[in-house]
Amino acid sequence: MKKMFLSAALALAVAGSWAFYPKAPADASGYMMVISRFTGGGFSAKNTISVITPEGQIQTQEADAKTGTITKVASSFDQMHLTELKKINELQQVGWRVVNSTQNSVGNGAITETIYLLEKR
């Protein structure tokens, strides 16, 4: 009788501890990308911030950039970096973190982009 009670108590303890076993989060969903791109030449330019979700959806936000003088171009770059920083901070608050970033320039700076790779915490 004691062996049967002990076996039942042990089985109950094992079953109860299984409920506290760590589980993978339900929303663990791979990687996300944030791409900021400055495209310009002559007197027209454009800043875009694109977010590529783990499901493959692309959300793009566009803003006109100013060209003509170095001061205007620098101001446009500052505005683009401010927008990308806001987006990354927004994503960080919902559990994403930056794991890598790269910067590319094509055509003597006519297209400059920064790509951030994020993963879910």
Side-chain angles (χ1 to χ4, degrees):
M1 183 72 169
K2 283 184 179 181
K3 287 183 181 179
M4 193 173 172
F5 176 73
L6 185 60
S7 296
L10 184 60
L12 186 61
V14 168
S17 68
W18 191 261
F20 297 103
Y21 188 76
K23 296 172 186 65
D27 61 345
S29 52
Y31 294 94
M32 180 182 289
M33 291 176 78
V34 174
I35 303 170
S36 65
R37 185 175 293 126
F38 176 84
T39 308
F43 293 103
S44 66
K46 191 165 288 229
N47 290 333
T48 59
I49 303 289
S50 299
V51 177
I52 302 174
T53 66
E55 295 81 29
Q57 297 175 348
I58 301 173
Q59 304 163 353
T60 302
Q61 177 183 352
E62 293 185 7
D64 285 333
K66 295 177 176 61
T67 60
T69 66
I70 295 296
T71 306
K72 289 180 182 178
V73 172
S75 175
S76 294
F77 270 114
D78 291 345
Q79 193 63 36
M80 180 182 67
H81 292 309
L82 177 64
T83 305
E84 72 188 15
L85 183 63
K86 285 180 181 178
K87 179 55 78 176
I88 289 171
N89 285 337
E90 177 185 311
L91 292 170
Q92 181 187 12
Q93 292 197 353
V94 293
W96 292 93
R97 69 182 180 101
V98 175
V99 293
N100 193 9
S101 67
T102 58
Q103 189 169 27
N104 302 315
S105 236
V106 179
N108 294 330
I111 299 173
T112 302
E113 67 181 12
T114 306
I115 303 169
Y116 298 92
L117 181 66
L118 296 91
E119 74 176 352
K120 192 78 165 183
R121 279 192 217 182

